[in-house]
Amino acid sequence: MYRLIKPIFFQFDPEKVHYFVVKRLKWFHDHFPLGQTILRGSFDVNIKGLEREVFGIKFKNPVGLAAGFDKNGEYIEALSDLGFGFIEVGTVTPLPQPGNDKPRMFRLQDDDAIINRMGFNNKGVDTLAERLRLLKSKNSDIVVGGNIGKNKNTPNEDALSDYLKCFDRLFDVVDYFVVNVSSPNTPGLRALQEKEPLMELLNTLQQRNSKNNISRPILLKIAPDLTNEQLDDIVEIVMTTGIAGVIATNTTIDRSTLQSPEPLRSEMGGLSGKPLTNRSVEVVRYLYTKSNKAFPIIGVGGIHSPKDAQAMLDAGASLVQLYTGFIYEGPGLIKRICKELVRKH
């Protein structure tokens, strides 16, 4: 089915199509109970052998949705119907912000890729926290991660305050946190990946990470463009601060492997999709080996097939996430990955 409708979707602006699809998926979930049954029946991946526990959380399967797809937590239940083992929402900032000027998302169909420069567009942490509180009140068993960032107008020297605001506001309503300092679309943000500011940020969050004798796993999301020396620093930082693990990787600013023509290939923003497949796996393998398997890694970037997911897991990832592959291959990709993982194990 998706192969038939995908060419139609791809005739239109990608951001507009995104909201068109997810809003109708949510309506279907909310207003058509039989539809929920149909979706779950079609995409059910509650297959024995897929369950796993990572950083103290039980996941029904290892295939999650990466941050950025549902920034405001508006579509969690509907997306979960498609079979995801966990949903990561955000990136969220303390105050609402519109993001960068449109157009800000571009399909590179020759490369099975996307360039985006969204710029942390979101409705603010208060709105997200309230939505997640309502989800929790339903006794939902959906594992939800909260991806947190800073507002565009917040200078880097005050960034810690923004991360703390998001952390405190979401503490009771998410299962794990992701500290995003690796998006290329907020000016100056990647400077926070440098060793000194990153140590300060993560140490402060860890000190805050206790409430009624409860703590939440904190993960760090890193860029694929880091050098091996910088990755060595990441390993040291994770182990020194005691955070739960790493998400590797975010989008890349590298354009060296693209086949798409100009001016498309030179659009500003982060590149995701198949051009990122090999590099993401390399980063995961490097961190896994260098750390001597000391912490869990969630692998994301360029997963378009069961083979890609298996390569990421073989490299050392405990879980994987989809985004661009989900857009290009459709929701059936989740089930195909899960079935292949069961078959091979």
Side-chain angles (χ1 to χ4, degrees), residues 201-311:
L201 172 58
L202 295 178
N203 273 325
T204 304
L205 288 174
Q206 279 290 68
Q207 291 165 12
R208 198 73 147 247
N209 192 21
S210 178
K211 190 173 183 181
N212 299 324
N213 297 317
I214 298 171
S215 63
R216 303 286 184 219
I218 298 174
L219 308 177
L220 174 66
K221 189 164 188 176
I222 65 170
D225 308 310
L226 300 179
T227 64
N228 285 350
E229 291 75 16
Q230 289 173 312
L231 292 175
D232 292 343
D233 286 342
I234 294 296
V235 171
E236 181 183 344
I237 288 166
V238 172
M239 297 179 72
T240 301
T241 59
I243 64 168
V246 170
I247 297 185
T249 64
N250 212 321
T251 57
T252 182
I253 57 175
D254 180 34
R255 303 289 193 266
S256 61
T257 64
L258 294 183
Q259 303 300 312
S260 295
E262 296 286 6
L264 190 59
R265 60 181 292 150
S266 295
E267 289 287 353
M268 296 295 292
L271 173 71
S272 61
K274 282 191 177 180
L276 201 51
T277 304
N278 292 338
R279 178 56 184 163
S280 295
V281 170
E282 286 175 0
V283 172
V284 169
R285 183 179 293 110
Y286 188 91
L287 293 173
Y288 184 73
T289 304
K290 190 72 176 182
S291 69
N292 195 25
K293 313 175 188 178
F295 49 81
I297 303 167
I298 298 180
V300 56
I303 299 176
H304 285 243
S305 69
K307 180 181 177 182
D308 295 334
Q310 187 64 60

Side-chain angles (χ1 to χ4, degrees), residues 49-331:
L50 286 174
E51 305 88 351
R52 57 189 63 192
E53 185 171 325
V54 185
F55 38 79
I57 298 174
K58 292 182 179 179
F59 296 84
K60 65 180 181 180
N61 73 65
V63 184
L65 179 65
F69 199 92
D70 187 6
K71 294 177 182 292
N72 300 298
E74 296 173 276
Y75 314 107
I76 294 172
E77 291 177 290
L79 290 166
S80 182
D81 287 344
L82 301 180
F84 285 111
F86 58 108
I87 307 285
E88 192 172 306
V89 296
T91 298
V92 67
T93 55
L95 299 176
Q97 59 182 31
N100 294 321
D101 293 340
K102 300 177 181 179
R104 53 193 181 183
M105 182 180 287
F106 308 88
R107 296 187 201 93
L108 283 69
Q109 294 188 54
D110 291 343
D111 295 285
D112 285 350
I114 288 174
I115 290 174
N116 92 82
R117 51 172 179 263
M118 304 301 288
F120 288 176
N121 56 305
N122 73 102
K123 297 178 182 179
V125 71
D126 288 337
T127 296
L128 176 60
E130 180 58 23
R131 285 210 179 98
L132 295 180
R133 186 191 66 79
L134 291 174
L135 180 67
K136 288 281 185 182
S137 71
K138 299 178 182 180
N139 295 315
S140 170
D141 62 354
I142 303 170
V143 175
V144 177
N147 188 300
I148 58 177
K150 78 173 188 72
N151 281 113
K152 181 178 181 179
N153 293 331
T154 301
N156 277 8
E157 55 266 28
D158 297 327
L160 178 56
S161 175
D162 275 15
Y163 285 95
L164 286 171
K165 287 174 185 174
C166 292
F167 186 82
D168 290 342
R169 192 70 178 85
L170 296 179
F171 189 90
D172 291 327
V173 291
V174 298
D175 297 288
Y176 69 89
F177 281 97
V178 180
V179 177
N180 188 352
V181 291
S182 53
S183 170
N185 301 320
T186 295
L189 184 72
R190 284 189 169 193
L192 295 175
Q193 290 182 120
E194 296 299 324
K195 191 172 183 179
E196 185 176 337
L198 190 52
M199 284 282 284
E200 180 187 8
L201 172 58
L202 295 178
N203 273 325
T204 304
L205 288 174
Q206 279 290 68
Q207 291 165 12
R208 198 73 147 247
N209 192 21
S210 178
K211 190 173 183 181
N212 299 324
N213 297 317
I214 298 171
S215 63
R216 303 286 184 219
I218 298 174
L219 308 177
L220 174 66
K221 189 164 188 176
I222 65 170
D225 308 310
L226 300 179
T227 64
N228 285 350
E229 291 75 16
Q230 289 173 312
L231 292 175
D232 292 343
D233 286 342
I234 294 296
V235 171
E236 181 183 344
I237 288 166
V238 172
M239 297 179 72
T240 301
T241 59
I243 64 168
V246 170
I247 297 185
T249 64
N250 212 321
T251 57
T252 182
I253 57 175
D254 180 34
R255 303 289 193 266
S256 61
T257 64
L258 294 183
Q259 303 300 312
S260 295
E262 296 286 6
L264 190 59
R265 60 181 292 150
S266 295
E267 289 287 353
M268 296 295 292
L271 173 71
S272 61
K274 282 191 177 180
L276 201 51
T277 304
N278 292 338
R279 178 56 184 163
S280 295
V281 170
E282 286 175 0
V283 172
V284 169
R285 183 179 293 110
Y286 188 91
L287 293 173
Y288 184 73
T289 304
K290 190 72 176 182
S291 69
N292 195 25
K293 313 175 188 178
F295 49 81
I297 303 167
I298 298 180
V300 56
I303 299 176
H304 285 243
S305 69
K307 180 181 177 182
D308 295 334
Q310 187 64 60
M312 192 71 83
L313 295 169
D314 290 343
S318 300
L319 306 165
V320 298
Q321 290 178 324
L322 309 179
Y323 191 116
T324 303
F326 177 55
I327 293 170
Y328 272 89
E329 309 301 329

